[in-house]
Amino acid sequence: MKQSLLALGMLAVLSMPLYLSAPAAAGSVEVSKRAKQVHEAALVIDTHLDTPANFERPGWSILDRHDHDGDQSQVDLPRMKEGGLDGGFWVIYTGQGDRDDAGNREARDHGLIRLTEIREMLAANPTSFELARTAADAKRIVAAGKRVSFISMENASPLASDPSLVSVYYDLGLRMLGITHVKNNDFGDSSTDAKGPEWKGLSPKGKALVAEANRLGLILDASHASDAVFDQLLELSKAPIVLSHTSADAEFDHPRNIDDARIKRLAEKGGVIHVNAYGGYLISIPKIPAREAALDALSEKYGDESSRDEAAIQAYLGERAKIDQQFPVPRANLDDYMRHLLHILKVAGPQHVGIGADWDGGGGVDGLEDVSALPRITERLLAAGYSEADIQDIWGGNLLRVLTQVEAVAEKSKQK
């Protein structure tokens, strides 16, 4: 394990200016000429890329095409180019562990190490990727032919031992902060904790974190949080908030999805919902106890995904295929994804919707298996009657507008 203090010391070097490369054309997926043109004209940003979990995988490189990895890898530079993905938010994900002193220290160290891994990837590939801190940076980086690299945090547990660390993360590039994951934490309630609500929304530490996020200039993300946390974020935040990867309750009633009334309130406050492509949140997939037991045993056999080398990946996928054959379950497809996306567009309007497919975190459906397939979404949006301007807003314009507003709130707080 890397020493976090050494890693932080190295980041002064990693923040040196990066240089330019030529742009690449998007799209090897078969779509109409019109769809390809519209897609290539848009600034295409995904708000939830869990790919940093792969950065330290033995033999894995962001520069190589990994489509043979199946669901183990969905984002790399070749497929970003083919799918016209200009960039997105690389996620600092931390699973919710024990909330005692030891657990909080472990979460703290994990978060700092994951941040360092992201920054090291950027430093190693300066002609292909560049850290973005502002909305203006994103446009400049795309114009230079590189991939936009924002950083987000999913689950604020790395801050539990010392919430003031959020300012360190901000200085090192963090621009989006998600409060919880699948369990409650020190900052607020999750939408899916089996124990139910602990804080009835945000905790006192959570409310203080909201104020600090506004002061610094961090986008607040309510995905995974309970409805009460969503309501309180919407009330307390001085800037618009987002849902970085969330789908529609009206299309599939699941605690991780959101109801139409809240979608409308999010839009009224200027926020954006980015639609998730995680199959279990799009359609009903029954839990088969024997299947779940077999999958748990398989995961235990091969260990943490980020530690698997090429041979282990292929062996895992072979055994996983046998489990799928023995215990088949329905799979969500592109039609299911578009049903959620089009419903949310009708409720919120195209100025308040984006894409956050949860790539490399369980997202992806049949017909939308990895980021090379993104032009298919553009084709479907055109077929549904959305204009080129609408599609540009959905793919990145809305997110950059929110970031600009968040930046303005932070700047105003500095002037007081």
Side-chain angles (χ1 to χ4, degrees):
M1 182 174 287
K2 298 173 184 168
Q3 297 297 314
S4 57
L5 291 178
L6 175 62
L8 288 173
M10 291 172 60
L11 287 172
V13 177
L14 303 188
S15 62
M16 294 172 64
L18 303 177
Y19 299 96
L20 310 183
S21 65
S28 62
V29 169
E30 288 298 322
V31 296
S32 69
K33 182 178 179 180
R34 172 67 173 153
K36 185 177 291 188
Q37 290 172 337
V38 171
H39 193 77
E40 291 176 353
L43 199 166
V44 177
I45 298 288
D46 187 291
T47 47
H48 200 81
L49 304 173
D50 275 310
T51 312
N54 292 328
F55 289 169
E56 293 301 298
R57 179 180 287 176
W60 196 94
S61 170
I62 192 73
L63 302 181
D64 298 333
R65 187 183 176 94
H66 299 276
D67 54 338
H68 62 284
D69 287 0
D71 59 6
Q72 294 263 281
S73 178
Q74 298 168 303
V75 181
D76 50 45
L77 184 59
R79 285 181 288 176
M80 291 176 80
K81 291 178 178 180
E82 290 169 16
L85 180 60
D86 292 305
F89 281 77
W90 303 115
V91 178
I92 299 169
Y93 163 71
T94 304
Q96 186 58 54
D98 294 336
R99 288 164 55 191
D100 54 15
D101 288 344
N104 287 340
R105 287 195 300 271
E106 184 177 353
R108 176 200 64 193
D109 293 347
H110 178 275
L112 291 171
I113 290 168
R114 183 55 51 85
L115 171 64
T116 303
E117 290 168 352
I118 295 170
R119 293 295 304 260
E120 286 176 340
M121 185 281 285
L122 299 179
N125 300 288
T127 60
S128 298
F129 298 91
E130 184 174 343
L131 178 68
R133 299 175 183 269
T134 67
D137 281 347
K139 297 174 182 178
R140 173 184 57 78
I141 291 167
V142 168
K146 295 186 286 185
R147 305 293 139 173
V148 179
S149 298
F150 287 109
I151 300 174
S152 64
M153 180 181 288
E154 182 178 31
N155 189 8
S157 65
L159 309 175
S161 64
D162 182 4
S164 70
L165 273 174
V166 70
S167 63
V168 175
Y169 276 96
Y170 177 84
D171 289 343
L172 295 173
L174 188 72
R175 287 301 179 268
M176 184 185 292
L177 177 61
I179 304 299
T180 67
H181 192 239
V182 297
K183 294 182 180 179
N184 304 333
N185 64 17
D186 286 9
F187 299 101
D189 294 330
S190 168
S191 62
T192 52
D193 195 314
K195 296 178 181 178
E198 177 180 346
W199 305 104
K200 297 182 180 179
L202 291 164
S203 70
K205 285 174 67 173
K207 293 175 182 177
L209 189 61
V210 170
E212 183 66 357
N214 283 169
R215 185 188 72 82
L216 290 169
L218 288 168
I219 301 172
L220 287 161
D221 174 16
S223 283
H224 280 291
S226 69
D227 286 348
V229 168
F230 173 91
D231 294 342
Q232 291 167 23
L233 286 175
L234 211 56
E235 177 185 356
L236 294 173
S237 179
K238 296 178 181 179
I241 70 170
V242 303
L243 293 155
S244 68
H245 58 306
T246 294
S247 298
D249 254 345
E251 294 300 324
F252 176 50
D253 188 7
H254 190 286
R256 262 289 278 121
N257 294 339
I258 190 169
D259 60 87
D260 287 0
R262 287 184 168 85
I263 294 173
K264 290 177 181 177
R265 286 168 46 211
L266 176 73
E268 289 167 359
K269 289 290 189 83
V272 181
I273 172 172
H274 300 83
V275 183
N276 199 346
Y278 188 95
Y281 303 150
L282 300 177
I283 64 171
S284 178
I285 300 176
K287 295 287 187 182
I288 302 173
R291 174 186 168 87
E292 298 301 312
L295 290 173
D296 288 345
L298 185 63
S299 294
E300 185 174 350
K301 176 179 178 179
Y302 285 96
D304 183 70
E305 289 185 15
S306 63
S307 67
R308 297 173 192 164
D309 61 17
E310 178 68 19
I313 291 169
Q314 297 308 315
Y316 169 87
L317 291 174
E319 294 190 40
R320 170 67 184 265
K322 292 178 181 178
I323 294 172
D324 289 339
Q325 290 173 358
Q326 185 177 5
F327 305 106
V329 294
R331 282 183 54 85
N333 58 36
L334 181 57
D335 290 339
D336 299 312
Y337 180 75
M338 291 306 304
R339 192 174 67 253
H340 281 258
L341 176 56
L342 294 174
H343 174 85
I344 290 170
L345 280 164
K346 289 179 181 177
V347 174
Q351 285 72 49
H352 301 282
V353 180
I355 307 296
D358 206 357
W359 297 116
D360 288 326
V365 297
D366 288 347
L368 193 67
E369 290 86 359
D370 61 32
V371 296
S372 69
L374 292 179
R376 290 176 177 154
I377 297 176
T378 297
E379 186 168 58
R380 295 291 190 100
L381 291 171
L382 287 169
Y386 288 95
S387 69
E388 182 171 354
D390 291 337
I391 292 168
Q392 289 179 349
D393 285 341
I394 293 164
W395 273 122
N398 295 331
L399 182 279
L400 296 182
R401 185 256 306 159
V402 167
L403 180 54
T404 299
Q405 291 174 280
V406 169
E407 292 167 2
V409 167
E411 184 61 30
K412 187 175 181 180
S413 70
K414 293 174 186 175
Q415 295 172 359
K416 291 183 178 179

